[in-house]
Structure formats: C-alpha cells, structure tokens
Amino acid sequence: EKPCTLKITLRNFQSIFSWELKNHSIVPTHYTLWYTIMSKPEGMKMVEGCTNITRPFCDLTDLWNNMHETYIPRVVAFKGNTELVSCVDSIFLPLNMSFDPPDFEIVDSMGHINVIVKFPYNAPKISVDRLRRHLSLVIEQRSEEIVKKHKPKITGNVTGDFVYVLDKLIPNTNYCVSVYFEPKNLRAVIRSPLKCTLLPGLEPESSESAIIGGIVTVFLIATVFISSIVTLKRIGYIYLRYNLPDALVFFLHFVSWIFPEPPPLEAVDTVDVIYINRKKKVRDYNSDDETDSEDETAPRVSAGGYTRHGLITKLLTQASTSLSTSKESQLIDLDVGEDYLSEAEAEPPLVPEPSSGQSECASGPYDRRESELQDPFSEEDNSSTEGSGDRIIFNVNLNSVFVRALDNDDDGDVSPMLPEETVDLENPDEMESSFLIPREEGMPPPFPSTSEEHLESEDAPSEKSDSSESDVDIGDGYVMR
Amino acid sequence: VIRKYFWPICLVGLFLTSVLSQSCDLLYVHLNRVTWQNLKLLSHMSNPFPVECLKEKKAFELPQEILSHTQPVKRHIEEAFYEISSQVFNIFSQHACKSAWDEKHLKQIQIGLHQQVEYLERCLEEEEKERDRETLLNNLKLRRYFNRLGNFLKDKKYSQCAWEIVLVEIRRCV
C-alpha cells in the first residue's frame, strides 16, 4: 500500500503536483521531489524549486508538459536529515490529471446573468492546448429543481476574462451558477461552489399597473356577470326564487326554538292549525257552555283570506276534574296553537290521549276549548271577547288549514266550511271525529273509532249515529267524522 | 504477476470502438471513448509502479509523427490506427497464454480488438483508396516499433518488470 497520495491538478492553468501522507502521525519537517520519465533510460532528477520545501505541493507546469509521457515522481519526507517516508508513483497526465474549476463571477441584469470566467492572461500554451483537446468548459445553471448545462466553445487565445451570457431567465427567480471543466476521458468532475443571485423583478410602475389592471378586470367581470343575471331575470329566462328552501326553513325554526323570539302580533302560527268545529256536549255543565256552543258563529273570511275564528276557553273549576288549576291556567295562558299541540305531544295531534287520573268529566284540552273562533280583527268580536276574559284569538291562515267548504251543510251552527262535530267532554278519549283532516282516497281512517260506551250525553243517539257511522267521505280526500 | 502486465489499453483501446458504429466519421469519437475506458481499467490493475523496475526501462522510440494530431490527412490516422490495432492484437494473442490475467478480461479485450480491426478494414475499403507511399512508410515504422516491444518482452522472459515497462510504453500511443 502506498504511504502517500500523489495528485496532479490543473489549477488556474497551472500543473500543481501535491502529496499527502496517509499516516498523519508522521510529521515531516520538509520534503524533496524527484522525478523521471519512462520513455528514456534516465535516472531520477531533483526538481528545482521543490527541494527541502515545507509545503506539500509543487508547480510543475513547465516540466510536465508532454501528454504522451509517463512521469515517475518520487517524494521523500524528511525530519531533519532523517528520511521518514518515500513515495513513488507513475503519472500519466491524460489519465491522472484532475482539473480544478476556474474562478468566475456572476453579474445579474434584467432577465439575464453574465458569467465571467477568469482565465490567466499568461496561461501556458501547453495548458491551453490541453484545455481544447481534453476538456470542455461547462457552465451549470440551477433554478430550483431545474439544471441546465451550457458548454461554450472556447476559440482563440484563452486569456483574460471569458464572458458567457445566460439569457431567457425568469424575473424574480433565484438562480445558482457553477463552472467547471469536464474531461473528455470520462473522469470525475470537480464542481465549483455555487454562486447564486436573485434576478430583479419588473419595474415598480409595471407592477402597479398590473395591480390596477387586475382590479379593473375584476370589476368588469363582476359588472358583466351581474348585468347578465339582471337581464336574464327581466326577460324571464331565469326566475329567481324568493322562497327559502325547506331545509333552510327548518334550520331557521330550529334556531328560533333555541332562541325563542316573541311572536309578532300578526304572525301566523307556524304549526299546522287544525280547525275543528264541534258541538260540545257536557253532562254537568251549565247552560253557558251549550249556549256557547250554540252561539258558535260561523267563521268569517277576511279579505286577506283568513278565516276569523275565536276560541273561548272555559275554566273548568265548576266542573269536577282531576286536573290541577295550574294546568288549566297553563292551557289558558299558552298560545293556542302551541298548547294545542303540546298537549297532544307524541301522539298524533289529532288523537287524544287519555291521561291518568282524569275523571269522567275530564280534561283533555280538546274538551275545554270551545269551537267558536273569533276574529281578532273584528271590533265586535273583540268587544264580545273582551268580556269573556278567557278568550284566545288567533288568525288562521287558510293555506295551512285543511278546510273545505261544504255545499250541503244544513247545520246552521256549523260553519259552512266545516262539518259539525260533537265531542263528549267527559270522555276526552273520544277524539274520533274531532278533527277534519285531509285523507287520500282508500286510506284507512287515521283515528280509531271509539266505542259507543263512552257516549252518555243526551244527544247520544244522534251522536252515536254520528260516531257509530263510519267515516264520511266528503270527497277530495277530506274526511269528516 | 502476469496480470499486471496486461496489454496496454492504448493499443487495445485505440481500436476498440462500438460494434454498432458503422460510420467512419464516428470512428475517431468511439475510439477515443473506448480508449479512456480501457486505460482506467488497466491503470487500476497496474498500480503502483515498482521502483525496482526503473532500472530496466528502455527507449522504444515510438514514432511520434504518426500519432501527431497535426496530421493533415485523415486517412493517415486511420491507417495508423489499423496497423496499431493489428499489431497489438497479434502480440496480445501470442502472449495471452503466458499471462495471469483474468480470463474474463482477456476475452473481452481479444474480442474488442478483433472487431475493431474488422471495422477499420471495412472503413478503409469503402474509401477505395490505395495506400500511398506515406501510409506504407508509417505502417513500416509502426511494425518495427511493435517488434521492439515484443523482443523486449521476450528478452526479459516476460518478467514482471518487462510487462510493467511495456504497459507504460503502450500508453503513449494515446
């Protein structure tokens, strides 16, 4: 194994022969270089200028200039007068010489970079010939992940600065440049350190004008778009919906449930208002109730399409009931629609649920309510209802109420739009015919028919007949019980 | 030992070109490429040069004018390359059995040399030019040069130092 590593390098067009001891523990004081050539039967010759030197390299540009020759160098390391190490090797320049990258500078400009390769002004001729025959100058351009190689041809005398222009570059981009020699003998290259620069961007005026142009463009696009929509709407090509989708309506209801707002004075209840028109039959009730039921007025239709009704709630303190007063008051105070449904709860709103503890005189909310509905807008009614004290007045939107005018309704007390119903207040379970609901043809009646045993009123026969009868189909899907 | 005295690449590599290349214009490019490849391989095998062999070195007097890059006539270079390839192939074939080279490397070099010689023959036949006096003279000089190399090996009885010296000498052909 060789005790030394011998290298020959072309550095700045100078042939520099260098050496390095592999055993770093050996520290010589000076070195001496000898060499010979293979083509002649000559012995070792000492190199002038490389005798007893402390530096580990020597310039042999003028001595080793034959590319066809094989040189045999010998380096002897001394410590004092003691020879420590002797290194011998064969050097074949085309095969063993490495090429250090040249010095260079980069100057950026608008859209291009000037690469200035610094060649010595007095480069040895042999080196120049060597460059042309055995080497290629490579200028490597790097930008992010893109690497581009330029191999400029060097013509004429290679002296002074050699300028190469990198053009077609992107402004506001960082470019790195490396310059090196690429031997034609497929030897490894030695790249120079990268020198990077950021190309300047566009002029400020051009950037500002670009911003202004962009704003104007966006404005024009928005104007064209809006005018197109308006034009299409006016000509009827598109129809913009003003009604909110059902999903959004549900969301709004959910939000309003969480954050309840006071209902507007004239707001229409959002619940389905089921209009009922019935005759109440109470066993122990006073005549007032019957009077009320008899005095039930026909609903009046306002100009806005609302049917005016009035509900008169009766306190059941006179009647024996299992219900507490608080519950009654609750029924009175609460909004009609909401209370109406709240009592029904999980049950279909049209089906009453027998509550435990209820007496025969009972207590369903349906039983307590008069069928008379009063128009809150009517002064007369108001005056009349004011005197009632327990009257609840609300507006009913006909669009949300399943009502239908009956042509053959002979009952004077019954609204021409609604069939008459009889409800036994003592048996709130009998809600079989309390409601008028739309029903598709062929479908079974939504409510189970109650047994006839619960009917105990004086009008039982007629009522029984009514209740015992099957559902009367009045046509168009409406069912009256 | 014999492995170290592998035939120099310059004679082999000079004429080792790609078998796929049929164009004479690409001849020089392929020769140059293959030469460098073979030189690197052999240099790795022959290092380091033994110092004790320096005393046996000899001047074989390679004719420099033949391989000069200043030759104006391209055909002269081609003729020289053909002569060198043939001579190296002959020496390589004659003494291969006496070497300790790796069998695989030995066959590769022999095949490459043979193909290169055939390629050069075809290229020279296409040009259909008769060899002029200068070409014949150059060929004669090259044959004498290679005879000296062969005789040196023979005289040294194919010793280690003789092969090392011949290896270094043949590299000069590059």
Side-chain angles (χ1 to χ4, degrees), chain A residues 279 281 422-423 455 457 459-468:
Chain A
K279 288 184 178 178
K281 179 180 178 182
T422 303
V423 175
L455 298 175
S457 60
D459 296 334
S462 62
E463 293 172 353
K464 279 187 178 179
S465 62
D466 293 337
S467 60
S468 60

Side-chain angles (χ1 to χ4, degrees), chain A residues 300-343:
Chain A
R300 287 159 287 179
V301 179
S302 64
Y306 286 87
T307 301
R308 301 173 182 176
H309 300 275
L311 274 184
I312 301 176
T313 59
K314 291 291 183 180
L315 293 175
L316 299 180
T317 54
Q318 298 175 356
S320 61
T321 175
S322 60
L323 291 180
S324 61
T325 307
S326 61
K327 190 172 184 179
E328 296 173 356
S329 61
Q330 182 182 3
L331 294 173
I332 295 173
D333 294 336
L334 293 177
D335 180 78
V336 174
E338 293 179 355
D339 181 57
Y340 199 77
L341 293 178
S342 62
E343 293 293 328

Side-chain angles (χ1 to χ4, degrees), chain A residues 185-196:
Chain A
N185 58 2
L186 307 179
R187 292 202 62 193
V189 299
I190 302 175
R191 287 182 170 84
S192 66
L194 291 173
K195 291 188 178 181
C196 304

Side-chain angles (χ1 to χ4, degrees), chain A residues 2 36-44 66 68-70 72 74 88-92 94-96 133-134 184-187, chain B residues 32-33 36-37 39-40 43 47-51 53-54 57-61 64 67 69 164-165 168-169 171-174:
Chain A
K2 301 178 188 177
T36 184
I37 57 177
M38 290 298 298
S39 62
K40 294 180 181 179
E42 297 175 354
M44 285 288 183
N66 189 347
H68 302 286
E69 187 62 73
T70 297
I72 307 297
R74 179 170 176 250
V88 179
D89 202 354
S90 63
I91 300 295
F92 187 58
L95 191 64
N96 299 116
R133 286 166 46 186
H134 302 284
K184 296 179 180 179
N185 58 2
L186 307 179
R187 292 202 62 193
Chain B
N32 188 58
R33 177 175 57 85
W36 292 120
Q37 292 176 350
L39 274 174
K40 289 194 294 183
S43 296
N47 276 335
F49 184 81
V51 180
C53 298
L54 290 176
K57 62 181 179 174
K58 180 181 178 181
F60 298 98
E61 298 177 359
Q64 296 289 334
L67 297 178
H69 292 272
E164 196 76 32
I165 293 171
V168 172
E169 180 64 27
R171 283 197 309 189
R172 299 180 63 194
C173 302
V174 180

